[in-house]
Amino acid sequence: MKKIQLLLAAIIVVFASCEQNGPKEPMGSLNGHECVDLGLSVKWATMNVGAESPEQSGHFFAWGETKVKSTYSSETYYYKHNNRPNLSLSNDAAHVHWGGCWRMPTEEDWKELQAYCTWEFTQQNGIYGYKVASMTNQNSIFLPITRTPWSYSGKNHYPGDYWSSDFRDGSYIYLYFDEPNQIGRESTSFGWQGKAVRPVCK
């Protein structure tokens, strides 16, 4: 009887340990795409739209467009902006390609990711990028660089560009990083430029 009690106690300890540590990888799947709960207001996808692994850049999109193009320029930009502060779902690349509740992150979603996660510049399967880990649990996502690394003035740059769905003061807002140990930050861009999309979902 005592051995059975000890065995049950050991099992309880193992389950408690698993519950406390939690998984560091995908927490689930939404509409066929893996997502991670970082303890934030939205869940984050494990990879970009068009990618087949977390390390791939995936497809590039002009802001408000949902099709991949061979050339991204002002001449090939067909989205007609109606002065809304953000995109409708019919012009949201994440929602159009993944469906369900998936959408492009807002500027506030990106700010929340910066404020409540740690950002570690690293390599994953040989690809540079940031491991973005929750401060409230042990879950994380990987944001790969989306353009070819380059050197300038003795510094190495590892650029990553990710759209938000927001438009402000005539400019399209996106998140970018280009140097190690410098977490992503928001900036504005021409809408015709091709950038990666990392979906979020409630």
Side-chain angles (χ1 to χ4, degrees), residues 29-129:
S29 177
L30 296 171
N31 211 37
H33 300 278
E34 292 179 337
C35 61
V36 174
D37 182 359
L38 298 171
L40 306 177
S41 60
V42 294
K43 294 181 176 66
W44 285 80
T46 59
M47 61 186 73
N48 298 342
V49 174
E52 296 181 356
S53 72
E55 299 83 26
Q56 292 184 353
S57 296
H59 296 325
F60 295 129
F61 300 93
W63 197 89
E65 296 187 353
T66 60
K67 293 183 179 180
V68 179
K69 300 186 290 190
S70 58
T71 302
Y72 294 85
S73 68
S74 57
E75 288 77 19
T76 64
Y77 190 40
Y78 302 112
Y79 176 70
K80 304 299 182 185
H81 197 276
N82 55 10
N83 291 319
R84 288 184 176 183
N86 46 45
L87 281 172
S88 64
L89 289 179
S90 62
N91 294 106
D92 184 312
H95 181 73
V96 170
H97 284 264
W98 285 16
C101 63
W102 289 108
R103 60 171 175 79
M104 288 167 59
T106 63
E107 181 182 14
E108 289 304 312
D109 292 331
W110 281 119
K111 286 183 175 179
E112 185 182 45
L113 194 71
Q114 295 175 65
Y116 299 105
C117 293
T118 60
W119 289 58
E120 176 190 0
F121 186 75
T122 184
Q123 287 189 63
Q124 183 165 298
N125 293 328
I127 302 298
Y128 287 103

Side-chain angles (χ1 to χ4, degrees), residues 91-168:
N91 294 106
D92 184 312
H95 181 73
V96 170
H97 284 264
W98 285 16
C101 63
W102 289 108
R103 60 171 175 79
M104 288 167 59
T106 63
E107 181 182 14
E108 289 304 312
D109 292 331
W110 281 119
K111 286 183 175 179
E112 185 182 45
L113 194 71
Q114 295 175 65
Y116 299 105
C117 293
T118 60
W119 289 58
E120 176 190 0
F121 186 75
T122 184
Q123 287 189 63
Q124 183 165 298
N125 293 328
I127 302 298
Y128 287 103
Y130 277 91
K131 177 184 178 182
V132 184
S134 170
M135 293 180 182
T136 59
N137 58 44
Q138 295 186 28
N139 298 325
S140 65
I141 59 173
F142 181 72
L143 293 176
I145 63 172
T146 58
R147 289 181 285 138
T148 303
W150 52 281
S151 297
Y152 179 73
S153 298
K155 283 189 175 181
N156 292 326
H157 295 261
Y158 302 88
D161 294 343
Y162 290 84
W163 279 127
S164 83
S165 60
D166 288 339
F167 175 84
R168 185 179 66 238

